[in-house]
Amino acid sequence: MTLKDINFNIAMYSTEPVVQSTYSVVYTGDESSVKVNFNVTDEADLTGATAKVHLYFADSSHIEKDAKIDGTVVHYTLKGTENDHAGTVRVDVFITLNGATYTRAGYKFRIDQSLEP
């Protein structure tokens, strides 16, 4: 099954702010088909690491979920109707490795209202 990928390159050890000028766009009708990927660029080995994502929706809804790690990519697929919250979404990723937790916060994408109710 092909998913709609939203891709971010992240430096988990960075202290620089996240700056984006454009946002990827998905739709409220995209049920279980949106995958958010964080490609970690400054750590070659995430063996034994765990990750969580926090999604903050425009309507003030918030979800926190465990994410999967494949190689150096942390990813989470929005389940069911988790993307029914139209507007700009802020997504933060928390990676725990060797007892320390690294946070990269402020990545954004947009969910537009689809024509279907």
Side-chain angles (χ1 to χ4, degrees):
M1 174 170 74
T2 302
L3 300 176
K4 290 186 175 183
D5 289 320
I6 298 173
N7 298 309
F8 300 107
N9 287 322
I10 68 167
M12 68 186 238
Y13 300 121
S14 176
T15 59
E16 297 297 316
V18 174
V19 178
Q20 286 179 250
S21 58
T22 60
Y23 302 145
S24 296
V25 178
V26 296
Y27 299 92
T28 54
D30 291 329
E31 293 187 13
S32 298
S33 63
V34 176
K35 184 177 175 185
V36 182
N37 302 300
F38 296 94
N39 180 38
V40 178
T41 59
D42 61 348
E43 176 60 60
D45 186 12
L46 292 177
T47 303
T50 60
K52 287 189 178 293
V53 293
H54 289 252
L55 293 110
Y56 301 92
F57 298 95
D59 64 1
S60 298
S61 298
H62 167 253
I63 61 171
E64 173 188 345
K65 298 287 183 164
D66 291 332
K68 293 183 180 178
I69 300 175
D70 291 321
T72 59
V73 178
V74 175
H75 59 87
Y76 177 73
T77 302
L78 277 74
K79 308 287 190 286
T81 58
E82 286 178 346
N83 62 314
D84 273 357
H85 311 272
T88 302
V89 180
R90 174 184 161 154
V91 58
D92 301 344
V93 62
F94 296 77
I95 301 169
T96 301
L97 178 65
N98 298 326
T101 300
Y102 303 92
T103 303
R104 289 303 290 156
Y107 294 93
K108 295 180 181 175
F109 65 95
R110 196 172 77 233
I111 300 174
D112 282 351
Q113 187 72 40
S114 69
L115 294 177
E116 294 294 318

